[in-house]
Amino acid sequence: EDLRGFREEEVKGRHAWDLMPPDSAHLAKMIFEEMLVYKAPTTFKIKLLTKDGREKIAIANNVIITDENNEVKYIIATGIDITEKEFLEEYLIESQRLQSIATLVTGLSHNFNNILVGVVGYAGLLRIKLSSIGHPDTTEILKYVDTIEDSANKASELISHLATFSKKVEFKTE
């Protein structure tokens, strides 16, 4: 009653799998059939439905009680609600995944920025060298240098945004 919201009279005489999502109902039926054959206790994780239609996750423990002829007399089923534990585990896994992404982005940003510093630096040196020679195409070539520098600066800004994003992700996951 506490776990699922059903009163005893609402479930009495019904199969447990009548109150489960279809995938869990199939599993419960298979386990029940195996219990009847092997007469061995079982423990498994399963989804249950509450009276208001929400899904809960439980660890089910089932024991078979037999009579003197080894015929099944009772099946005692108990369950422990692990819904919140499962949610917290999923949250932790997602947080760890985001933390890994943030660490990767931070490392890539640092390395990529180092490369861009070289590109911008050599573009600047090329600009200085071109300015000192009297070549007729200098103005046109300097436009190419401008494009290289602009592209490298845009890439640097993008990396900066990624680094900022990864720090926000790190902050949110802690």
Side-chain angles (χ1 to χ4, degrees):
E1 288 180 8
D2 290 341
L3 175 63
R4 300 173 74 187
F6 292 103
R7 292 185 320 275
E8 180 181 347
E9 58 272 9
E10 293 177 291
V11 296
K12 201 170 199 173
R14 294 176 75 182
H15 294 289
W17 49 80
D18 293 338
L19 305 169
M20 294 178 178
D23 56 337
S24 293
H26 179 72
L27 175 65
K29 286 178 189 176
M30 284 182 11
I31 290 170
F32 181 76
E33 290 170 6
E34 286 181 13
M35 287 177 63
L36 292 177
V37 170
Y38 298 109
K39 298 176 179 68
T42 60
T43 300
F44 55 95
K45 181 168 63 170
I46 196 151
K47 291 178 186 172
L48 307 171
L49 290 176
T50 62
K51 187 174 182 175
D52 62 5
R54 291 178 293 128
E55 280 190 5
K56 295 253 182 164
I57 303 170
I59 292 289
N61 297 297
N62 301 304
V63 178
I64 290 201
I65 307 294
T66 57
D67 61 16
E68 60 277 352
N69 298 325
N70 204 26
E71 296 296 320
V72 176
K73 190 169 179 171
Y74 301 103
I75 295 178
I76 300 173
T78 59
I80 299 169
D81 183 2
I82 62 166
T83 306
E84 188 173 339
K85 176 187 167 288
E86 290 286 307
F87 172 78
L88 291 173
E89 282 179 3
E90 286 179 28
Y91 179 79
L92 177 62
I93 289 168
E94 180 66 11
S95 294
Q96 289 172 338
R97 186 183 71 79
L98 290 173
Q99 181 66 40
S100 296
I101 291 169
T103 301
L104 176 66
V105 167
T106 300
L108 288 173
S109 296
H110 178 74
N111 290 335
F112 203 57
N113 252 341
N114 288 343
I115 293 167
L116 288 174
V117 165
V119 170
V120 171
Y122 279 104
L125 291 173
L126 183 58
R127 175 182 304 287
I128 292 168
K129 195 72 160 172
L130 284 170
S131 297
S132 68
I133 61 173
H135 194 276
D137 294 331
T138 300
T139 305
E140 185 179 343
I141 296 171
L142 284 173
K143 287 180 186 176
Y144 298 148
V145 173
D146 288 341
T147 302
I148 292 169
E149 288 175 331
D150 287 345
S151 296
N153 287 329
K154 285 178 185 174
S156 184
E157 286 177 31
L158 177 63
I159 290 166
S160 178
H161 291 304
L162 282 173
T164 301
F165 171 76
S166 74
K167 287 180 180 144
K168 286 180 184 174
V169 169
E170 286 181 64
F171 179 75
K172 287 181 181 177
T173 60
E174 291 178 347

